[in-house]
Amino acid sequence: MAGMMRAMNHSAFLLPAILALATSAGQQAAAQSTSTEGIEFFESKVRPLLLTHCSKCHTAKKAAESGELVLDSPAGIQRGGSRGALFAPAKPSESLILKAVSYADAELQMPPDGKLPAAEIAVLTKWLDLGAPLPAAENSAASIQQRIDIESGRKFWSFQPLSDFVPPVVSRANWPRAAIDAFILARLESEGLAPSSTADRRTLIRRLALDLVGLPPAAEDVEAFVADARPDAYERLVDRLLSSPHYGERWGRYWLDMARYTDENPSWLSSAKLAYRYRDWVVSALNSDLPYDRFVRLQLAADVMPETSPGDLTALGFLGLSPTYWKELRLAPQLIEVIVADEWDEKIDAVSRTFLGLTVACARCHDHKFDPITTRDYYALAGVFANTQQVDRPLLDPEPAEAVRQARRQIDALEADLAKIKDKEPDKAAELKAQIERLKTETPGYDAQWAHAVEEARVEVLPDGPDKTKVVYHRGEASDLQIFKRGNPSNRGEIVPRRFVEVLSPAPMRPFEHGSGRRELADSLFTEAQALSARVIVNRVWAHHFGVGLVRTTSDFGRQGEPPSHPELLDDLAERFVARGWSLKRLHREIVLSATYRQVSHVKSRKSNVEGQHASDIRPSTLDLRHASSVDPANRLLWRMNRRRLDVEAWRDALLSASGELDLAIGGPPDDLARPENRRRTLYGRIGREDQDNLLLLYDFPTPTGHSPSREQTTTPLQQLFVLNSPLFEARAKALAERIGPPAAASDTDQQVTSLYRELLARPPSDRELTLAREFLAAGKWDEYVHAVLGSNEVMFVD
């Protein structure tokens, strides 16, 4: 088997050089990303922890009496104290700070009044593993506080109103098919570059199918498209795919990455067993092309929008499935306040990065170091989520919903009493059972569907005796928050009215006046911040089609993010996206119909094989490959299409589709991916925050503990071992081998191999591939041969 795999990858001798180049570029990009993300992690997670547990002793004022250790400034943390440096970069696990908080040394146990919870030790451990990144000393909170200039900040490119740009004039006037192409070609020509030729039809239909519905095209569909001589054949194909119910499944999964979607929480937290209803709502909303502005408004505020129906409440899963943290009420209120604040912080981070591409959560302890976002902005938004509580609720109108919830509470109490009764009291048990049944039958809507949602309620953390706490929720009430100075709930400042981010709002600032303010926040995203919201989602869609966004940092449109490679194109797309009613399907259609999208991804110096290509489709290229590779090696100017590896969901679905086993049923409860009988699309596999399926872990599925802007792909030996040896892969290969059927005789080899290639790769085998197949199948190892083809890069990658 291994020999066959090597024979099929006859270009393997190029791999070391390619990997060396990729590794070098990847390390540089990773270093920059890690630095920025690490500092964000310090500001949002580590600094609040240090302030809460260490600020009583380890400050500049008390350094002399606390071992010269100062933990309220980056410089002090970097310097360490009388015992030496706090962290050991080469061996993070041996760092002094970790030994102290882990109580590993009997003579050094910090904080002295009790060991930190395991979750907080895990935060410090992750920070150390990241290299203990710290912000630069000159960017301290005090100096930043003086430098924030909102009026100047409003001039930043991403905060500007959208402009309707006229497509530029280009010299190769016959190449553009759409406005997109004029902008792309103008940049190419300014650098002395030219676009690549159009991909052949077999490549295009596979590219489109995997992009738009996440499934490879059937062999008969490929042949029909190749033979279709109508001038609008490509447009017809695009429209058919966009109207498929599988479109919502494909693009819904991308949304769920940002929504931190999970089907399963740790056992000590609230259940997420109804999460699939939110997942199915996302799929349905995308399939119906629900305008993006309404799509977002429903996810933030469906319960406080008068024009919604009970079924719309399912959309609140975006907030209703937010991560929660264990609140040990035997701890002091000061500690519980930090945990409650961490939950607000997570929601602020998810909402601001998902919809605005801004890292507002970095302003929790002080004004943002890079962007014009103040601590007042942070606590103005925190007030919105401090008055929004996660709750399970029936999908009914408010009055019957409340009646059902009261009935459920009564039944829970009755069932608790019933559990205490022994056999000696059968009459009492019978009466309790009768009461339970009466409540179930007499409460209208008792059997209605439920969903994970949110409700308007103010939270209050109160003492409950010595070093104990109670958390009280006041339904229907709302109040503003005080600033937590340096992120410390025990050190409070002025009260900040709930409102939108100042730099995105016109003066004078208007506070939110209705309940928590969620509806007004949702409206602000599409009024005050309309231009930014449009740029962010347009860029996300572009990134999923081309592998990288016009703005590479898809969730950071601030000063630490990268500027757009084609700013006029981004604005032009965003402006038309808004003007056309925020239609995501129209945006997809415009992108995939462009000549830019239709380019080949693998450019060869010799004439490429255009089998399956109509003469009317072929657009000649004057590309100088050597020049293009030297001027734009990363292909940021898009002189060709990017070749991309399928994400794990599309890859597993492709395997099941090839073997003829894929179950295309839409929606419903999740199933374990590890269960051998599970043939459903990977979208419907069970996702957990604590435990994750091994296949997903192996192929870079994002952890649903926070907002995930993109998939970070890795290449490891374990992945190839999985292809060669896993039961999942072996079963798919065996089923595919049986589906095609082995050659009955040596003379049938070419026919069976051709059938396999057309079924699996949507193309005939090359002469070299046929020669290799004949040599290998001379030993009669049909199952192993099919396994090798199924495991080839061509199945996993899309050109």
Side-chain angles (χ1 to χ4, degrees), residues 390-567:
Q390 292 167 238
V391 64
D392 291 348
R393 62 160 297 163
L395 301 179
L396 299 168
D397 288 325
E399 287 190 14
E402 184 57 31
V404 170
R405 292 172 70 177
Q406 289 182 4
R408 288 283 182 103
R409 286 193 287 268
Q410 293 176 41
I411 288 173
D412 288 344
L414 292 170
E415 289 179 339
D417 291 340
L418 183 62
K420 300 174 185 176
I421 294 178
K422 309 298 179 185
D423 291 341
K424 61 184 178 181
E425 299 179 278
D427 293 341
K428 187 174 181 180
E431 174 58 25
L432 289 174
K433 291 178 180 178
Q435 291 183 49
I436 291 172
E437 287 306 311
R438 279 197 300 273
L439 282 169
K440 289 181 177 181
T441 57
E442 295 176 4
T443 303
Y446 183 83
D447 293 326
Q449 289 188 347
W450 284 55
H452 302 306
V454 292
E455 66 176 358
E456 302 278 88
R458 175 172 63 88
V459 64
E460 191 173 14
V461 178
L462 298 170
D464 190 27
D467 290 328
K468 290 187 178 180
T469 303
K470 61 180 177 181
V471 180
V472 181
Y473 300 100
H474 304 275
R475 296 181 64 196
E477 297 182 14
S479 63
D480 296 322
L481 283 182
Q482 291 176 274
I483 288 177
F484 296 171
K485 294 182 179 179
R486 310 287 284 178
N488 186 353
S490 299
N491 186 9
R492 303 197 178 199
E494 63 177 304
I495 294 176
V496 181
R498 301 185 302 285
R499 58 167 174 76
F500 196 47
V501 179
E502 184 176 1
V503 74
L504 297 173
S505 303
M509 292 290 295
R510 292 180 298 174
F512 295 157
E513 298 176 349
H514 303 289
S516 67
R518 275 184 293 119
R519 182 179 181 185
E520 292 157 288
L521 170 60
D523 288 341
S524 296
L525 295 174
F526 299 98
T527 51
E528 287 98 324
Q530 180 188 89
L532 181 57
S533 296
R535 287 185 180 106
V536 168
I537 186 60
V538 165
N539 186 64
R540 292 194 193 283
V541 173
W542 183 278
H544 285 305
H545 281 300
F546 289 96
V548 63
L550 295 169
V551 177
R552 189 187 296 270
T553 50
T554 53
S555 289
D556 190 351
F557 274 51
R559 294 187 182 278
Q560 283 295 95
E562 290 193 17
S565 58
H566 298 75

Side-chain angles (χ1 to χ4, degrees), residues 333-386:
Q334 294 85 349
L335 298 176
I336 303 303
E337 284 179 327
V338 174
I339 296 172
V340 171
D342 285 345
E343 293 178 345
W344 309 335
D345 184 79
E346 194 284 328
K347 293 181 179 68
I348 291 171
D349 183 63
V351 168
S352 66
R353 294 174 72 195
T354 298
F355 304 119
L356 295 172
L358 294 177
T359 55
V360 175
C362 290
R364 177 177 180 174
C365 302
H366 51 72
D367 289 349
H368 201 291
K369 295 187 179 303
F370 309 106
D371 298 331
I373 300 169
T374 64
T375 304
R376 290 173 58 84
D377 289 329
Y378 177 91
Y379 286 96
L381 292 182
V384 173
F385 298 111

